[in-house]
Amino acid sequence: MSDIIVNIKNLEKTYKSEGENLTILKNLNLEIEAGKKITIVGESGSGKSTFLNIIGGLDNATDGSIKCREYDLFNLTEKKLSEYRTHFLGLIFQFHYLLKDFTALENTYLPALMAGVPKKTAMERAKTLLCDVGLEKRLNHLPGKLSGGERQRVAVARSLINDPQLILADEPTGNLDPENAGKIGELLFSMASNYKKTLILVTHDINLAKKGDLCYSIKKGALELHDFIEKA
């Protein structure tokens, strides 16, 4: 039997403004098996980021159901929602959101400290992750001393610090030049594989999208499966 980590049924997101309703997502259904790498593309304004934010507990759906393992996102207390975000999810955004006065190492282990992990354990875990993303010589550098690609490598390492089951990546290469975008894309997929994580990645980059096990586009609020996946 398949091991379903994400189960979404009849998801709807409608925004209400000045008496008008704008439905971004409608009748959206998706099942994701643990360990799969899923990519999502779509035109600007199609609802890609909204969809990811709903799965991440950063936005609320209007209707439907979302279950990620034991977490029913429509029925979470604030405590359970915090637990879900802290321990179940790893988040990567287009902008790295590194704290400018903290080193690469500190930025990476801070989420673990906030989750109650002892500092020594958190630091060792962070060092391992930063070495895995190729930053073993940049541990003590502040973000201002890192290149754009290096800062995003830190963000990738940070997303894994609390050993999450699911990684959500929203345009993780959107602010990078083509060369660095390609390198970060490869890194993200390899890290997800090496650490046995499920990945949902939203991107406008078709070449990056093709690296997924499955690729979907959002059209008229629903998901449509692409058939252009090309394996290396």
Side-chain angles (χ1 to χ4, degrees), residues 99-172:
L99 299 173
K100 65 182 181 67
D101 295 324
F102 291 81
T103 65
L105 180 62
E106 291 167 336
N107 267 286
T108 303
Y109 72 66
L110 274 174
L113 283 186
M114 295 172 67
V117 176
K119 185 174 182 179
K120 183 178 180 180
T121 302
M123 287 182 64
E124 290 305 313
R125 190 182 299 173
K127 286 179 183 178
T128 298
L129 287 166
L130 287 168
C131 288
D132 284 351
V133 299
L135 294 178
E136 60 274 4
K137 296 181 179 180
R138 311 291 275 172
L139 302 182
N140 296 314
H141 285 66
L142 296 172
K145 298 296 183 180
L146 301 174
S147 69
E150 288 173 334
R151 289 193 288 267
Q152 203 64 333
R153 287 174 184 268
V154 177
V156 171
R158 181 183 58 190
S159 74
L160 290 161
I161 191 66
N162 285 329
D163 195 24
Q165 296 185 48
L166 176 63
I167 303 293
L168 302 180
D170 189 1
E171 297 282 8

Side-chain angles (χ1 to χ4, degrees), residues 51-195:
F51 177 56
L52 212 63
N53 286 339
I54 291 172
I55 299 174
L58 304 174
D59 197 356
N60 295 317
T62 307
D63 202 359
S65 69
I66 307 176
K67 293 182 180 178
C68 299
R69 289 284 196 234
E70 71 271 24
Y71 297 98
D72 180 348
L73 267 63
F74 274 66
N75 295 288
L76 291 182
T77 63
E78 284 299 320
K79 182 179 180 180
K80 275 292 185 182
L81 180 59
S82 176
E83 177 186 297
Y84 171 74
R85 290 173 179 161
T86 301
H87 297 286
F88 189 84
L89 294 180
L91 301 173
I92 306 170
F93 300 97
Q94 183 171 347
F95 187 68
H96 53 78
Y97 291 114
L98 300 182
L99 299 173
K100 65 182 181 67
D101 295 324
F102 291 81
T103 65
L105 180 62
E106 291 167 336
N107 267 286
T108 303
Y109 72 66
L110 274 174
L113 283 186
M114 295 172 67
V117 176
K119 185 174 182 179
K120 183 178 180 180
T121 302
M123 287 182 64
E124 290 305 313
R125 190 182 299 173
K127 286 179 183 178
T128 298
L129 287 166
L130 287 168
C131 288
D132 284 351
V133 299
L135 294 178
E136 60 274 4
K137 296 181 179 180
R138 311 291 275 172
L139 302 182
N140 296 314
H141 285 66
L142 296 172
K145 298 296 183 180
L146 301 174
S147 69
E150 288 173 334
R151 289 193 288 267
Q152 203 64 333
R153 287 174 184 268
V154 177
V156 171
R158 181 183 58 190
S159 74
L160 290 161
I161 191 66
N162 285 329
D163 195 24
Q165 296 185 48
L166 176 63
I167 303 293
L168 302 180
D170 189 1
E171 297 282 8
T173 63
N175 277 338
L176 302 176
D177 61 80
E179 181 180 356
N180 272 309
K183 291 178 179 178
I184 294 300
E186 291 285 354
L187 174 70
L188 183 51
F189 278 93
S190 67
M191 290 290 283
S193 294
N194 292 343
Y195 281 87

Side-chain angles (χ1 to χ4, degrees), residues 174-222:
N175 277 338
L176 302 176
D177 61 80
E179 181 180 356
N180 272 309
K183 291 178 179 178
I184 294 300
E186 291 285 354
L187 174 70
L188 183 51
F189 278 93
S190 67
M191 290 290 283
S193 294
N194 292 343
Y195 281 87
K196 296 179 172 58
K197 304 304 179 186
T198 306
L199 172 68
I200 305 176
L201 183 147
V202 162
T203 183
H204 67 278
D205 184 340
I206 295 299
N207 289 323
L208 180 57
K210 288 179 178 180
K211 298 181 186 297
D213 297 312
L214 293 170
C215 178
Y216 294 89
S217 61
I218 295 184
K219 294 183 178 179
K220 297 181 179 180

